[in-house]
């Protein structure tokens, strides 16, 4: 065979192969943040199975002053399972079948995507599967949404050299945030939005400041002292404090490879009418002999706050501590 002809044929085959692979890759999901497409026939959706899905996946977000759903749910009958529903990053597909089944398929119709397949012989058996697997499903979906949210601001990042130098950390912060205060062990960044603002604060304190046995009490005491020192209202004698009327939500997690506490609650401006939600991460960084605190809070009285706080959580969870 002519050498030139052979090379041309080989090139054509390779190009065709590459084209085929590209065409068969899942489309990139463009769905709104924190949404779930539920593919389920109306009969199940309007009964106990639908009630269970709504109660679990649209339950109120912890720590917000008003009730807002954990996920926004869009329901589609199985016969309409196409178009937008397949584009969602999170899909729950439920049907009656001859066998009980639970399966998570990643990137089945789009990327990134979690496609949750649940089937059962009866509605009761479907409910049992939902009950057993819901916590893991929610955690997986939440992690996917965090990563997706971080991707949305990766191409427009703030120069965080000041944060790196002061705290020995890498943090991915959208460029819309500005430095509004810098002190020895404290940095405050703020983003102005219509009708309010979102804030991120970073500070470090001695390891002994938070006692595991009294963690919630100590975290509130520390954050109130930070508010008293740095975060004031426009009128004299006003400073940020933790809202006493509602107990904060508290959990132990791992963040940046270290033991940490996650605390969600509401703040108010003492002697003023301002208030809003906060999310606080207290990280035990023993390598640096300190406790590192990253907290997000917002003031947006006329807005829903779920997605504002989710953005702040996504920023904080991008933290990496330098060795």
């Amino acid at each position: 065979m002519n050498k030139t002809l052979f090379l041309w044929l080989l090139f054509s085959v390779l190009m065709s192969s590459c084209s085929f692979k590209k065409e068969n890759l899942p489309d990139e999901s463009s769905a709104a943040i924190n949404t779930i497409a539920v593919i389920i026939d109306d009969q199940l959706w309007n009964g106990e199975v639908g009630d269970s899905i709504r109660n679990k996946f649209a339950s109120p977000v912890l720590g917000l002053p008003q009730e807002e759903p954990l996920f926004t749910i869009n329901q589609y009958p199985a016969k309409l399972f196409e178009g937008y529903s397949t584009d969602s990053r999170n899909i729950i597909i439920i049907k009656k079948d001859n066998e009980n089944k639970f399966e998570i398929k990643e990137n089945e119709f789009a990327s990134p995507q979690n496609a949750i397949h649940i089937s059962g012989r009866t509605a009761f058996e479907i409910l049992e599967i939902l009950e057993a697997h819901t916590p893991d499903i929610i955690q997986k979906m939440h992690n996917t949404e965090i990563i997706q949210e971080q991707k949305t601001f990766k191409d427009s990042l703030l120069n965080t050299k000041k944060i790196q130098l002061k705290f020995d950390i890498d943090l991915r912060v959208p460029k819309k945030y500005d430095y509004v205060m810098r002190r020895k062990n404290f940095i405050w960044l703020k983003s102005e939005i219509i009708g309010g603002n979102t804030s991120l604060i970073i500070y470090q304190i001695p390891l002994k400041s938070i006692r595991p046995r009294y963690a919630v009490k100590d975290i509130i005491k520390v954050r109130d002292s930070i508010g008293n020192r740095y975060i004031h209202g426009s009128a004299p004698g006003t400073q940020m404090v933790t809202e006493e009327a509602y107990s904060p939500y508290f959990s132990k997690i791992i963040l940046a490879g270290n033991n940490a506490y996650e605390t969600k609650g509401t703040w108010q401006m003492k002697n003023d009418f301002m208030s809003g939600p906060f999310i606080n991460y207290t990280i035990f960084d023993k390598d640096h002999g300190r406790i590192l605190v990253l907290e997000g809070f917002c003031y947006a009285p006329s807005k829903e706050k779920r997605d504002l706080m989710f953005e702040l959580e996504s920023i904080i969870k991008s933290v990496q501590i330098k060795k």
Side-chain angles (χ1 to χ4, degrees), residues 62-66 68 223 240 264-267 275-279 295-300 305-306 308-309 312:
L62 300 179
L64 297 186
Q66 291 87 31
E68 296 183 46
R223 75 173 307 275
M240 176 184 281
K264 298 179 180 181
T266 53
W267 61 270
S275 63
F278 73 84
I279 184 166
E295 177 174 312
F297 60 91
C298 78
Y299 173 68
K305 300 167 183 63
R306 180 192 70 181
L308 296 175
M309 296 305 297
L312 289 165

Side-chain angles (χ1 to χ4, degrees), residues 31-153:
I33 205 76
N34 289 323
T35 60
I36 301 176
V38 178
I39 315 304
I40 183 173
D41 286 334
D42 291 342
Q43 184 177 4
L44 288 172
W45 179 247
N46 294 324
E48 291 183 350
V49 173
D51 289 342
S52 178
I53 293 169
R54 287 184 288 273
N55 289 337
K56 289 175 169 61
F57 294 94
S59 60
V61 178
L62 300 179
L64 297 186
Q66 291 87 31
E67 285 195 4
E68 296 183 46
L70 186 61
F71 294 98
T72 300
I73 297 177
N74 299 308
Q75 181 256 339
Y76 303 88
K79 62 183 178 181
L80 298 179
F81 182 38
E82 59 185 22
Y84 175 80
S85 58
T86 59
D87 182 53
S88 178
R89 275 184 304 281
N90 302 299
I91 303 179
I92 301 176
I93 304 165
I94 295 181
K95 61 180 180 179
K96 284 188 177 180
D97 208 342
N98 293 328
E99 62 175 348
N100 293 344
K101 181 181 177 182
F102 172 80
E103 186 178 11
I104 299 178
K105 294 183 179 180
E106 295 185 358
N107 306 334
E108 185 174 6
F109 309 106
S111 178
Q113 186 181 74
N114 302 305
I116 316 299
H117 294 261
I118 297 174
S119 61
R121 290 181 290 267
T122 65
F124 178 77
E125 290 174 331
I126 291 172
L127 286 169
E128 284 189 321
I129 295 171
L130 273 171
E131 189 68 31
H133 294 284
T134 290
D136 292 335
I137 296 171
I138 289 176
Q139 188 61 57
K140 187 169 182 61
M141 289 181 174
H142 185 73
N143 291 342
T144 298
E145 295 300 275
I146 289 285
I147 293 170
Q148 184 63 27
E149 181 73 3
Q150 291 170 346
K151 287 181 180 178
T152 63
F153 48 74

